[in-house]
Amino acid sequence: MMGASSCQVWSLQAQWLALLVAVSFTIPATVLGCYTSIFSFGDSLTDTGNLRFISSSQRPDCLRPPYGSTYFHRPTGRCSDGRLILDFIAETLHLPLVKPYLGIKNGDVKDWNTQQGVNFAVAGATALDGVFFEEKGFDVEEAAYYSLRVQLDWFKEFLPSLCNSSSSCKKVLGNALFIVGEIGGNDYGYPLSQPMSLEELKTYVPQVVSAITSAISELINLGAVTLMIPGNLPLGCNPSLLTGIAVKDKDEYDKSGCLKWLNTFFDYHNKMLQTELNNLQLLYPHTKIIYADYFNAVLQLNHSPEQFGFGKNVVEVCCGGGGPYNYNESAVCSYSGAVSCDDPSKYVSWDGLHLTEAAYRWISKGLLDGTYTIPGLTTSCTSQFVTSGDFSSNYAMK
Ligand SMILES: *[C@@H]1O[C@H](CO)[C@@H](O)[C@H](O)[C@H]1NC(C)=O
Ligand SMILES: *[C@@H]1O[C@H](CO)[C@@H](O)[C@H](O)[C@H]1NC(C)=O
């Protein structure tokens, strides 16, 4: 176990190390060992298997082959051919892959210990509660009932098995990395399923962002100190949306074939999220709130795919059933009529909605070396250890 002293060494040599990190990608283990566990929340970008314990099957179905074919060699509930960003972060931090909460609860995960962290993310989850969409007249899928609020309730339910005293909770939560998101992408899927103007779509953003920030406040009040909050992906490059919202005017697309107005919209969401995160950081100076810029990390892959080893046609789907983007609603990945490409590592999009392990690997690299985290994820280690008890905890102690 890494003590606070190794973090102080990091603090003194931070500038020198930052230089080293920029040149090579070898981050010293002593630096990354600073987090003792990971707790995560979100949707299919982060779900490592909670989906398996939820009754309804989804389209595409991440529980069926060829999901998992590249790395786990079986479907695990991860919506990709292999590891997700969360897996790469855990590996780099020398922590075990983060186990799904429902797997632990159902006794499927044996010998769980606090070091293994817990993942509360559910594929399809929204930031806002399902009832919000129901009231607006949308046909709500079951997954919307595993909103961020529900995931937080699970976390609170689980807390007594993590720690039993104020001091032990402070230690476990204070030394953990909390990853809250990406979440919110699915919230916009409901309004986007109908014809809607950009201005109308924008009216949803304050509510979605507020659901995320109140979850963060709550986690901080429970004892979280270091939180990484990813923004939305540039879904204007997402083949399923590109297929659904195809327009004739070529000027509406950028040079990579992404829909410009959609990316403008998701950038708008991210800007508002960042503004609110800055406010939270001022409100809670003892914490480290890190924004993870998934948007620009993915946009970089879409704009220069060949530079990163991907094929030229970056909006083409690896596992799909035909059509201009190889994304076909009637033959989505894991259903009949869809086949996987031979080499998923040449594709950014795995199934039209989710990315390949290869793309997630590149994004993780950009997060961990600080290119796409504000402030940098690794440098946050220095002030992250909780040693003195100067914050109040409001959870019930037994
Ligand atoms: C907390 O106490 C409960 C009940 O005594 C016990 O089951 C649980 O294992 C304890 N948790 C920890 C982390 O010690
Ligand atoms: C989409 O899938 C259906 C069902 O497999 C198939 O009949 C159709 O031809 C496919 N469309 C394209 C454009 O390939």
Side-chain angles (χ1 to χ4, degrees):
M1 272 251 272
M2 296 302 155
S5 57
S6 61
C7 280
Q8 265 139 27
V9 173
W10 157 238
S11 163
L12 292 170
Q13 301 177 347
Q15 278 183 312
W16 175 78
L17 281 172
L19 201 72
L20 187 77
V21 167
V23 175
S24 65
F25 184 53
T26 354
I27 300 171
T30 47
V31 172
L32 295 171
C34 282
Y35 301 107
T36 51
S37 58
I38 298 174
F39 298 102
S40 44
F41 304 83
D43 58 24
S44 58
L45 261 60
T46 311
D47 188 352
T48 53
N50 283 311
L51 184 63
R52 278 208 292 138
F53 301 92
I54 284 162
S55 55
S56 76
S57 76
Q58 302 187 343
R59 290 182 67 87
D61 191 341
C62 305
L63 296 171
R64 300 187 354 179
Y67 285 85
S69 56
T70 297
Y71 184 77
F72 299 97
H73 308 297
R74 63 183 169 86
T76 61
R78 286 170 176 81
C79 291
S80 183
D81 58 314
R83 286 161 289 183
L84 309 178
I85 294 169
L86 176 62
D87 297 315
F88 286 115
I89 291 177
E91 279 184 3
T92 312
L93 296 176
H94 301 283
L95 291 170
L97 298 187
V98 189
K99 306 290 185 298
Y101 166 73
L102 294 179
I104 300 168
K105 194 181 169 181
N106 287 280
D108 199 58
V109 174
K110 308 267 183 266
D111 305 322
W112 179 88
N113 68 63
T114 48
Q115 237 237 320
Q116 291 180 290
V118 189
N119 184 9
F120 299 91
V122 181
T126 46
L128 292 163
D129 292 323
V131 65
F132 173 88
F133 302 101
E134 227 169 46
E135 280 169 3
K136 292 219 182 297
F138 293 113
D139 188 10
V140 180
E141 288 167 36
E142 188 198 8
Y145 294 101
Y146 300 98
S147 66
L148 200 47
R149 156 98 352 249
V150 174
Q151 295 178 26
L152 260 175
D153 288 343
W154 287 348
F155 177 72
K156 285 186 269 186
E157 217 175 86
F158 195 69
L159 207 49
S161 39
L162 284 171
C163 52
N164 272 342
S165 67
S166 173
S167 64
S168 70
C169 288
K170 213 180 287 174
K171 195 164 167 232
V172 171
L173 304 186
N175 294 336
L177 173 64
F178 283 77
I179 302 179
V180 187
E182 171 280 329
I183 187 102
N186 290 321
D187 294 65
Y188 303 119
Y190 289 102
L192 276 171
S193 66
Q194 305 197 333
M196 190 164 286
S197 72
L198 177 60
E199 289 316 308
E200 203 180 341
L201 199 55
K202 277 181 175 176
T203 63
Y204 285 76
V205 179
Q207 282 148 299
V208 173
V209 167
S210 146
I212 299 170
T213 53
S214 54
I216 295 164
S217 301
E218 201 164 330
L219 285 170
I220 290 172
N221 287 327
L222 290 169
V225 174
T226 309
L227 305 99
M228 184 176 98
I229 297 92
N232 255 304
L233 302 184
L235 293 178
C237 305
N238 186 277
S240 83
L241 284 177
L242 285 168
T243 305
I245 319 176
V247 290
K248 289 216 171 66
D249 186 358
K250 284 207 160 49
D251 290 342
E252 296 236 11
Y253 297 91
D254 71 11
K255 63 178 163 51
S256 319
C258 306
L259 259 180
K260 287 191 276 192
W261 77 268
L262 257 187
N263 278 349
T264 301
F265 170 74
F266 286 104
D267 188 45
Y268 176 82
H269 163 97
N270 290 339
K271 293 263 157 63
M272 191 177 287
L273 177 63
Q274 278 178 275
T275 302
E276 293 308 317
L277 293 182
N278 288 337
N279 291 339
L280 281 176
Q281 184 62 80
L282 292 173
L283 202 59
Y284 303 106
H286 75 284
T287 66
K288 198 90 178 183
I289 297 174
I290 302 163
Y291 174 69
D293 190 357
Y294 283 17
F295 185 93
N296 282 300
V298 174
L299 210 55
Q300 176 202 34
L301 301 184
N302 275 281
H303 285 168
S304 334
E306 287 159 299
Q307 192 188 319
F308 300 94
F310 296 105
K312 207 182 169 110
N313 186 5
V314 72
V315 286
E316 192 189 340
V317 173
C318 166
C319 179
Y325 301 97
N326 192 31
Y327 178 82
N328 182 347
E329 277 288 347
S330 322
V332 289
C333 189
S334 80
Y335 281 84
S336 78
V339 286
S340 174
C341 61
D342 288 335
D343 187 359
S345 75
K346 293 278 177 281
Y347 291 75
V348 169
S349 182
W350 161 244
D351 59 6
L353 295 124
H354 311 103
L355 308 189
T356 56
E357 170 177 288
Y360 287 141
R361 182 198 297 277
W362 274 110
I363 299 165
S364 313
K365 183 179 160 168
L367 302 176
L368 288 156
D369 70 14
T371 312
Y372 291 108
T373 41
I374 310 160
L377 178 60
T378 54
T379 55
S380 67
C381 224
T382 47
S383 62
Q384 176 257 348
F385 265 81
V386 177
T387 45
S388 60
D390 59 346
F391 74 97
S392 61
S393 51
N394 64 1
Y395 45 85
M397 284 304 161
K398 284 192 187 146

